[in-house]
Amino acid sequence: MSTFRSIFSAVALSFLIVQSGIAQPKNLNPDVRSAMLSATKFMVEKASTNGGYVAHYLPDFSRRWGELEGFKTQIWVQDPGTVSMGNIFLDAYNATGDEYYYQAAEKVASALIWGQRPEGGWNYMIDFAGDRSLKQWYNTIGKNAWGFEEYYYYYNNTTFDDSNTSGPANFLLRIYLQKMDLKFKPALDKAIQLIIDSQYPLGGWPQRYPLKNNHPKNGKDDYTSFYTFNDEVISGNIDFLIQCYATLGEERFLDPIRRGMNFYLITQQGNPQGGWGQQYNMDLQPTYARSYEPAALMPGFTYTHVLLLLKYYQLTGDSKFLARIPDAIKWLESSMLPQDKREGGTRTHATFIEIGTNKGLYAHRKGSGVSDGHYWHDYDDKNLLAHYGGKANINIQHLKDEYKRISSLPVEEAVKNSPLKVGTVEDGSLPQKQLISGSVNGPVPNEAAINTIIGSLDQDRWLVKHIQISRPYSVTADGKEMNTAKLSDENGKGIVDASEQQYISTREYEKNMSLLIKYLKR
């Protein structure tokens, strides 16, 4: 059936391409190359700070935002920001051969290396004005960003949250392999060693490292030392180490990779609740994190972990990764919401499931900021926390189909493309080639779409409106510090800027560049 669908999809795509005029397109390559270069020169020469980026800027650069508002001396590591910009530069270089893009990527690497922490990782942002400025940001914007509790304190250590360390490490690996330029190798080696050293013996990773417990809250331990699945902490580090093994070929990566994959097995809960939480304490019990993250099991993470176990089986051929997938699926079926709570069929599960009872736990909040705001959770599914999501939609049938498909494969077939299996590449291609070439793929945009992208350039910028921003840091006349989080209502639902204000957007740049690159590579 899957083969039939693939053939049908290919025929349908071919029909659409012919119908849209792509079969014999006008050669827009010169216009595409010109637009790409003009937009890139603007970003590199006007928007960047020492080679790094944030997500959005006002056109006069008087304000800028990463996940929160940043100082003018700061760049953001996480996507969309410095790392994602570096990767799109390398994608453009591989598509065009123009050295300007490689030089732009070099500047990104230099910015990341400047901001690499002594232990080898990265914080969420890099401040070129140094620690005094960064501490000032945490003491003003960070500590008043209600709901963004990961920014309340200046930990002065590495974070693995949101791939903030595996992301730049992977970019350094990629740019090193691009030309085998040894100037990137020391920083890359330092990042690799940190990820290896910070792994717990049982295979998981903490959210931050070196370990600290200097910011307890409400009588609870600081959650940043807990085993953390949330925001690709563990899976991101495993994926990076697999890339290292595939491209650098060192056997020392195999043990941390295997221990990381095994950690998914030892943290799956016993029946009848064979799912996972998103954090675990040192006793391997699901535990709390931020104020709106109770100790609970999570259907969303269980869904993701089942797909990861299927992937790990295809990497190793070891049936232990398949053994308890049926238990996870059975739990997902048993924990579905009653019909009257499924929001018209758009939701299947509560985001959090209480351990033991299988009841949904629902997070709420009230207030307007850090000084008067409060989070809590209960069994009431009304007025749910909007910035996190109180309910989820889990496609159990997809898990069943994938489990059936992959578990029925002969082992040799299942692992045939695994970079962890000993053997040579059949076509003789270098294992580094795939990482270098990037991941810009998918349907090629048609000529009309390309013309729209090129025509939307405004003074060499791609501008957007109606994004979610935050208020600047301010103090009222009575000394009250105002909320610096992104605009939202009392339940946390995001509020976009409804005015006609335009913003420079790295996300928009990356999206349009990706489409133009696809057109060039067609």
Side-chain angles (χ1 to χ4, degrees):
M1 180 61 72
S2 61
T3 302
F4 174 77
R5 282 198 298 265
S6 298
I7 294 171
F8 178 81
S9 299
V11 171
L13 180 60
S14 298
F15 175 77
L16 289 174
I17 288 173
V18 172
Q19 289 297 99
S20 61
I22 300 181
Q24 292 181 332
K26 174 185 175 183
N27 185 8
L28 290 176
N29 285 18
D31 295 336
V32 168
R33 288 173 177 267
S34 176
M36 287 172 59
L37 191 57
S38 296
T40 300
K41 284 185 175 180
F42 176 85
M43 296 302 290
V44 172
E45 297 168 18
K46 295 184 179 180
S48 76
T49 299
N50 288 353
Y53 301 85
V54 296
H56 296 103
Y57 309 77
L58 283 177
D60 64 359
F61 298 108
S62 58
R63 294 180 70 192
R64 62 179 60 203
W65 292 266
E67 191 166 29
L68 296 172
E69 184 168 10
F71 292 167
K72 293 180 182 180
T73 55
Q74 292 175 343
I75 60 174
W76 232 258
V77 175
Q78 71 190 88
D79 300 347
T82 301
V83 172
S84 55
M85 288 292 282
N87 279 312
I88 206 72
F89 292 150
L90 288 180
D91 291 340
Y93 173 68
N94 282 286
T96 66
D98 190 329
E99 287 293 326
Y100 187 86
Y101 298 111
Y102 182 78
Q103 292 163 6
E106 283 187 304
K107 292 175 182 177
V108 166
S110 294
L112 291 172
I113 291 170
W114 192 96
Q116 189 175 23
R117 292 192 42 79
E119 65 272 7
W122 285 266
N123 190 23
Y124 295 101
M125 77 287 287
I126 294 168
D127 195 326
F128 290 103
D131 274 357
R132 285 184 299 175
S133 177
L134 191 56
K135 289 178 181 177
Q136 178 68 7
W137 184 90
Y138 274 96
N139 287 329
T140 52
I141 294 174
K143 77 172 186 178
N144 289 293
W146 186 38
F148 290 79
E149 295 176 16
E150 59 269 39
Y151 295 110
Y152 282 4
Y153 311 107
Y154 178 53
Y155 282 89
N156 196 23
N157 62 359
T158 284
T159 181
F160 296 114
D161 186 40
D162 284 331
S163 301
N164 268 287
T165 287
S166 61
N170 198 72
F171 171 74
L172 290 177
L173 174 63
R174 185 182 177 193
I175 196 170
Y176 163 65
L177 294 173
Q178 185 75 58
K179 294 187 178 182
M180 293 296 185
D181 191 332
L182 290 175
K183 70 184 177 186
F184 304 115
K185 193 66 163 48
L188 171 61
D189 287 341
K190 193 174 181 180
I192 290 172
Q193 196 58 51
L194 166 77
I195 290 173
I196 290 174
D197 290 344
S198 59
Q199 186 181 28
Y200 283 120
L202 289 178
W205 277 269
Q207 188 193 75
R208 304 192 72 113
Y209 187 86
L211 302 178
K212 294 186 178 183
N213 190 26
N214 55 344
H215 296 299
K217 186 176 181 181
N218 299 328
K220 296 180 179 179
D221 288 339
D222 189 315
Y223 64 84
T224 62
S225 64
F226 294 156
Y227 297 102
T228 303
F229 287 118
N230 192 27
D231 289 327
E232 295 80 48
V233 169
I234 294 175
S235 63
N237 286 344
I238 293 171
D239 286 347
F240 171 66
L241 292 175
I242 290 172
Q243 287 279 24
C244 288
Y245 178 71
T247 57
L248 302 178
E250 300 177 35
E251 287 196 358
R252 67 188 178 111
F253 298 122
L254 290 176
D255 177 65
I257 289 169
R258 287 168 179 152
R259 284 190 290 119
M261 293 190 295
N262 286 340
F263 190 71
Y264 286 80
L265 301 179
I266 65 176
T267 49
Q268 184 176 6
Q269 299 298 283
N271 291 328
Q273 288 189 299
W276 284 267
Q278 65 177 349
Q279 291 92 211
Y280 288 76
N281 62 24
M282 296 300 101
D283 293 324
L284 295 183
Q285 299 168 330
T287 191
Y288 60 87
R290 291 170 291 190
S291 298
Y292 42 86
E293 296 173 319
L297 300 182
M298 299 187 70
F301 277 86
T302 299
Y303 176 88
T304 300
H305 289 3
V306 168
L307 293 178
L308 284 170
L309 290 179
L310 291 171
K311 171 186 170 181
Y312 296 157
Y313 171 68
Q314 291 176 286
L315 285 169
T316 65
D318 194 329
S319 61
K320 68 184 179 183
F321 293 110
L322 301 176
R324 292 200 59 215
I325 287 178
D327 293 341
I329 292 174
K330 185 176 181 180
W331 174 68
L332 287 173
E333 291 178 322
S334 72
S335 59
M336 293 181 70
L337 290 164
Q339 287 291 343
D340 62 346
K341 293 183 180 293
R342 294 188 187 181
E343 312 295 336
T346 63
R347 298 292 182 266
T348 59
H349 291 77
T351 296
F352 300 106
I353 303 289
E354 188 173 48
I355 298 169
T357 68
N358 237 22
K359 293 180 179 180
L361 288 175
Y362 301 101
H364 315 272
R365 80 175 190 175
K366 64 179 180 179
S368 61
V370 172
S371 61
D372 64 353
H374 173 60
Y375 285 95
W376 76 98
H377 59 270
D378 56 26
Y379 302 119
D380 184 0
D381 71 335
K382 303 295 188 296
N383 299 317
L384 298 177
L385 183 64
H387 70 73
Y388 201 81
K391 295 181 181 181
N393 188 27
I394 305 299
N395 189 345
I396 298 176
Q397 188 60 48
H398 177 65
L399 295 184
K400 290 181 175 180
D401 292 344
E402 284 297 282
Y403 172 69
K404 181 178 180 180
R405 180 181 68 85
I406 292 173
S407 63
S408 65
L409 293 173
V411 176
E412 296 78 10
E413 177 71 12
V415 302
K416 69 177 182 179
N417 295 317
S418 171
L420 302 186
K421 304 305 290 184
V422 177
T424 58
V425 181
E426 289 185 6
D427 62 3
S429 62
L430 292 173
Q432 296 81 9
K433 186 176 180 180
Q434 183 176 1
L435 178 62
I436 291 171
S437 63
S439 58
V440 174
N441 48 41
V444 176
N446 61 29
E447 185 176 311
I450 293 299
N451 281 323
T452 298
I453 293 169
I454 294 172
S456 64
L457 270 175
D458 181 337
Q459 301 179 52
D460 299 331
R461 309 164 300 179
W462 279 301
L463 301 172
V464 296
K465 299 177 184 178
H466 311 311
I467 66 169
Q468 194 181 359
I469 59 171
S470 58
R471 296 184 182 91
Y473 173 74
S474 63
V475 182
T476 62
D478 62 359
K480 180 181 178 181
E481 293 178 301
M482 300 304 292
N483 184 10
T484 57
K486 291 181 179 179
L487 299 180
S488 61
D489 63 16
E490 186 171 19
N491 286 334
K493 181 180 179 180
I495 300 173
V496 301
D497 178 3
S499 75
E500 292 302 299
Q501 175 65 60
Q502 293 181 308
Y503 298 87
I504 298 165
S505 168
T506 55
R507 188 188 297 278
E508 189 72 7
Y509 168 85
E510 292 165 11
K511 181 192 77 174
N512 289 335
M513 285 288 288
S514 177
L515 292 169
L516 296 178
I517 289 167
K518 289 177 187 178
Y519 184 83
L520 287 183
K521 294 174 69 175
R522 69 194 187 283

